[in-house]
């Protein structure tokens, strides 16, 4: 398959940046999106040009490093896929693909398609942890958890922190990400100690970083590679209100 | 006090205020529609006027009225503040941004539907609320309604405003419950069904009033003119 690529190039944070056009040929339909970019980069290196910088690590949809805006959709047009999960066969042969970095004020571009997502780490540092006893391992059955809560918590814990929810949101809101993290802990006995404090601190940090206000557009749920549901956002709101009022 | 301020300054706090004021306005809409259906009682407005007199003379209603005005103002101002804040969160825009593939249009147009409702409210209060409350000589509110809705352009404006209100609530009703944390997997399908009453049936109920009076007026004038 052949593609015309329109890629955002930006040398560093200060550079204004611009789109540049590239052509790639003979791409296997089974190649992943990142492999297609590897082919492009090999081509560029051979021509002594600067390869396109993009984030990636596991290439199997679990690390959350990759993340590209492909033709106006976070992680491309498919559902429940990270950019590394996207296969080239979902596009048309000869199609033009516009590739942009995540765009949000708290996500400044570092280079080309790589953005600084440490704002999300700072939200985690503000409250995304639990207190645990040190010492011998506790007896396995000493803290029972209901099946429903375990399942719901694990669903929330599937969040890989990729930032697609923020990138796809018309308001650049981080609510789905924060909701996934707050839910994960709020549903388990281990998360109870900091329950009230956690939700308040994480929301304050989220606001401080400059993420937008949620308008319940639900674009985040549609673009999340891990299928995190907006019902977790309702739980985040509930947890926040509970912490403030109760 | 400090924690109340912190609540207001938080993103969720502002949204909670919006949802509470929004739901309060929706409750008012229900009351307003039920009262206005008295216009359809075939008694030249006797019951409707009695209902109006009751509202004006009842101190409890007058008290709630203050909150109603406050509610609209707080809701509208917060809506605009949040919208402006949100527009600043993405200084470099996407070249391609296909929001229409992942979120409903109604959810992205609340600011515009809200502004149209605001303009409508201004005109609506000016034509009905102000004359029946603040003018010294007693005006018949039934005649006021009949007269206003005899103008087809005024009717058209009403119908458009109600369409827009329905669209605002198409998103707003379920959104308010989401914001208050009451929309979970069990309630969501029920809420979405209940929402139909609010975004469809209530605006349609209101729309029946100008339509009725327009045709009523047509019928009366045809009779007087003796055409047909
Ligand atoms: C005066 C003009 C109005 C303006 C400017 C306005 C503006 C807005 C805006 C911008 C939002 C979205 C807020 C967000 O998601 O960030 C909103 C939500 C909402 N509006 Fe309005 N609105 C107006 C009137 C009304 C009226 C008359 C009602 C009810 C009868 C109403 C009910 C709601 C509800 C229930 C929500 C959802 C709240 C939430 O998302 O939590 N609005 N409005
Ligand atoms: S909620 Fe989904 S889209 Fe958002 S950071 Fe987590 S995995 Fe990515
Ligand atoms: S590279 Fe790890 S999720 Fe895509």
């Amino acid at each position: 398959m052949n593609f015309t690529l329109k890629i955002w190039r930006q040398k560093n944070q200060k550079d204004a940046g611009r789109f540049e056009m590239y052509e790639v040929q003979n791409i296997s339909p089974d190649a992943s999106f990142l492999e297609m970019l590897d082919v492009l980069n090999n081509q560029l290196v051979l021509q002594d040009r600067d390869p396109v910088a993009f984030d990636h690590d596991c290439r199997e949809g679990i690390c959350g490093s990759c993340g590209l805006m492909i033709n106006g959709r976070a992680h491309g047009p498919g559902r429940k896929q990270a950019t590394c999960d996207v296969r080239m066969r979902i596009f048309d042969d000869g199609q033009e693909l516009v590739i942009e970095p995540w765009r949000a004020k708290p996500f400044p571009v570092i280079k080309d398609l790589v953005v600084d997502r440490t704002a999300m780490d700072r939200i985690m540092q503000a409250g995304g942890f639990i207190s645990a006893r040190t010492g011998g391992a506790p007896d396995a059955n000493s803290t029972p958890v209901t099946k429903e809560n375990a399942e719901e918590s694990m669903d929330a814990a599937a969040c890989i922190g990729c930032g697609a929810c923020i990138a796809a949101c018309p308001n650049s809101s981080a609510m789905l990400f924060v909701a996934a993290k707050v839910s994960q802990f709020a549903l388990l006995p281990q998360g109870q100690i900091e329950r009230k404090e956690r939700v308040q601190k994480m929301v304050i940090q989220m606001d401080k970083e400059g993420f937008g206000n949620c308008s319940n557009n639900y674009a985040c749920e549609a673009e999340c590679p891990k299928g995190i549901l907006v019902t977790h956002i309702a739980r985040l709101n509930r947890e926040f209100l509970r912490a403030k009022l109760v | 006090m400090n924690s109340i301020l912190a609540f207001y300054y938080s993103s969720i706090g502002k949204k909670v205020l919006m949802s509470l004021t929004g739901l309060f306005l929706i409750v008012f809409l229900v009351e307003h529609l039920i009262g206005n259906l008295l216009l359809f009682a075939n008694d030249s407005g006797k019951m409707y006027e009695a209902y109006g007199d009751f509202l004006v003379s009842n101190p409890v209603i007058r008290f709630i009225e203050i909150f109603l005005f406050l509610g609209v103002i707080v809701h509208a101002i917060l809506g605009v503040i949040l919208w402006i804040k949100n527009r600043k969160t993405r200084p470099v825009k996407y070249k391609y941004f296909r929001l229409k593939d992942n979120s409903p249009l109604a959810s992205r147009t609340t600011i515009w539907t809200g502004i149209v409702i605001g303009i409508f409210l201004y005109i609506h209060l000016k034509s009905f609320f102000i004359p029946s409350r603040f003018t010294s000589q007693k005006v018949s509110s039934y005649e006021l309604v009949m007269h206003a809705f005899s103008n087809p352009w005024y009717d058209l404006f009403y119908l458009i405003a109600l369409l827009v209100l329905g669209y605002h609530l198409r998103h707003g009703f379920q959104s308010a419950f989401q914001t208050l944390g009451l929309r979970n997997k069990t309630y969501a399908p029920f809420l979405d069904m209940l929402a139909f009453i609010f975004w469809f049936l209530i605006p349609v109920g209101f729309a029946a009033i100008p339509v009725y009076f327009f045709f009523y007026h047509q019928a009366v004038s045809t009779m007087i003119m003796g055409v047909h």
Side-chain angles (χ1 to χ4, degrees):
Chain A
M1 299 176 86
N2 302 333
F3 297 99
T4 305
L5 308 174
K6 192 170 181 180
I7 301 180
W8 183 259
R9 301 302 308 262
Q10 184 173 338
K11 279 203 171 58
N12 51 45
Q13 286 205 20
K14 292 195 188 78
D15 183 18
R18 78 231 134 260
F19 281 99
E20 281 181 20
M21 307 289 290
Y22 304 93
E23 301 280 339
V24 283
Q25 269 110 28
N26 287 323
I27 301 291
S28 157
D30 300 330
S32 78
F33 202 85
L34 300 186
E35 283 163 348
M36 183 276 295
L37 289 178
D38 292 337
V39 171
L40 170 71
N41 277 345
N42 281 342
Q43 216 168 285
L44 291 177
V45 169
L46 286 175
Q47 295 165 359
D48 236 358
R49 290 160 75 192
D50 196 18
V52 178
F54 61 91
D55 257 331
H56 59 101
D57 188 19
C58 70
R59 298 207 176 204
E60 55 179 9
I62 54 167
C63 75
S65 331
C66 64
L68 298 174
M69 204 71 178
I70 305 165
N71 279 359
R73 300 287 303 277
H75 292 304
R79 295 247 155 164
K80 291 200 191 176
Q81 287 187 321
T83 302
C84 56
D85 295 322
V86 174
R87 301 294 126 161
M88 296 315 290
R89 55 178 172 265
I90 67 167
F91 300 107
D92 298 329
D93 191 20
Q95 194 179 343
E96 179 180 282
L97 304 174
V98 180
I99 309 170
E100 295 174 80
W102 286 167
R103 297 232 185 259
K105 202 170 168 197
F107 283 171
V109 172
I110 296 172
K111 186 173 196 265
D112 297 340
L113 302 171
V114 179
V115 300
D116 180 353
R117 280 174 289 188
T118 50
M120 293 167 84
D121 299 340
R122 286 189 292 274
I123 297 176
M124 287 306 278
Q125 282 159 10
F129 50 79
I130 58 163
S131 295
R133 271 194 317 190
T134 54
D139 183 57
N141 294 324
S142 61
T143 15
V145 181
T146 63
K147 180 159 191 313
E148 290 78 23
N149 281 0
E151 296 265 338
E152 185 82 0
S153 172
M154 288 307 127
D155 285 350
C159 166
I160 53 177
C162 63
C165 42
I166 297 154
C169 174
N171 310 318
S172 318
S173 164
M175 288 285 274
L176 192 64
F177 165 70
V178 175
K181 301 306 175 190
V182 164
S183 282
Q184 172 192 339
F185 295 125
L187 288 161
L188 294 180
Q190 290 84 348
Q192 299 311 307
I193 300 169
E194 294 95 350
R195 186 170 176 181
K196 281 188 177 183
E197 221 183 301
R198 174 184 307 113
V199 60
Q200 300 189 63
K201 286 189 169 162
M202 288 181 86
V203 167
I204 289 171
Q205 191 64 31
M206 169 182 88
D207 292 344
K208 217 194 262 170
E209 297 290 346
F211 292 106
N213 301 273
C214 178
S215 329
N216 302 329
N217 302 74
Y218 308 149
C220 48
E221 178 180 291
E223 302 295 34
C224 173
K226 296 293 137 188
I228 307 291
L229 299 175
V230 292
T231 44
H232 291 296
I233 296 184
R235 182 178 295 102
L236 167 62
N237 291 332
R238 197 154 69 235
E239 289 291 320
F240 187 78
L241 281 173
R242 206 182 89 112
K244 286 282 178 194
L245 302 177
V246 185
Chain B
M1 192 62 213
N2 220 348
S3 86
I4 294 177
L5 268 183
F7 181 71
Y8 170 77
Y9 281 121
S10 72
S11 51
I12 297 180
K14 287 201 201 62
K15 279 305 303 279
V16 166
L17 266 178
M18 279 215 75
S19 60
L20 290 176
T21 48
L23 287 178
F24 181 50
L25 294 174
I26 289 176
V27 171
F28 164 73
L29 278 187
V30 176
E31 183 281 322
H32 197 40
L33 177 61
I34 294 173
N36 283 359
L37 290 180
L38 291 174
L39 284 167
F40 292 122
N42 207 356
D43 62 353
S44 327
K46 270 202 204 71
M47 264 165 40
Y48 181 70
E49 303 224 333
Y51 159 74
D53 290 342
F54 165 76
L55 290 187
V56 174
S57 57
N58 190 318
V60 179
I61 304 274
R62 297 291 288 264
F63 185 67
I64 296 175
E65 194 179 88
I66 300 170
F67 285 94
L68 201 56
F69 278 103
L70 274 178
V72 178
I73 291 166
V74 168
H75 183 86
I77 290 178
L78 276 177
V80 173
I81 290 178
L82 286 175
W83 184 77
I84 292 172
K85 274 175 158 277
N86 284 341
R87 297 287 73 69
K88 290 185 181 156
T89 61
R90 188 165 284 138
V92 184
K93 302 270 169 293
Y94 288 110
K95 172 134 179 88
Y96 264 93
F97 197 26
R98 294 185 59 86
L99 282 172
K100 64 168 190 277
D101 289 347
N102 59 28
S103 59
L105 185 64
S107 73
R108 288 178 273 115
T109 46
T110 45
I111 185 69
W112 309 116
T113 49
I115 288 171
V116 173
I117 299 169
I119 296 168
F120 165 80
L121 279 179
Y122 173 77
I123 296 172
H124 179 63
L125 292 176
K126 217 169 127 190
S127 41
F128 297 123
F129 180 75
I130 310 273
S132 61
R133 171 61 72 76
F134 295 109
T135 38
S136 45
Q137 81 269 41
K138 185 83 185 78
V139 277
S140 147
S141 46
Y142 185 75
E143 270 166 32
L144 215 59
V145 172
M146 266 216 324
H147 177 74
F149 289 142
S150 66
N151 179 347
W153 293 110
Y154 197 79
D155 294 343
L156 188 69
F157 166 67
Y158 254 68
L159 294 183
I160 292 171
L162 286 166
L163 201 73
V164 168
L165 174 68
Y167 207 57
H168 194 75
L169 297 182
R170 177 81 179 87
H171 172 73
F173 187 80
Q174 57 78 34
S175 175
F177 287 91
Q178 169 81 359
T179 303
L180 294 174
L182 299 172
R183 200 171 169 279
N184 63 16
K185 272 185 211 140
T186 322
Y187 296 163
F190 172 70
L191 280 174
D192 292 345
M193 250 156 40
L194 195 68
F196 182 76
I197 300 178
F198 295 91
W199 70 262
F200 187 77
L201 294 184
I202 290 191
V204 165
F206 277 111
I209 298 167
V211 170
Y212 172 79
F213 280 101
F214 175 70
F215 286 111
Y216 179 80
H217 188 82
Q218 290 291 83
V220 170
S221 54
T222 341
M223 250 156 51
I224 295 169
M225 308 283 275
V227 200
H228 290 306

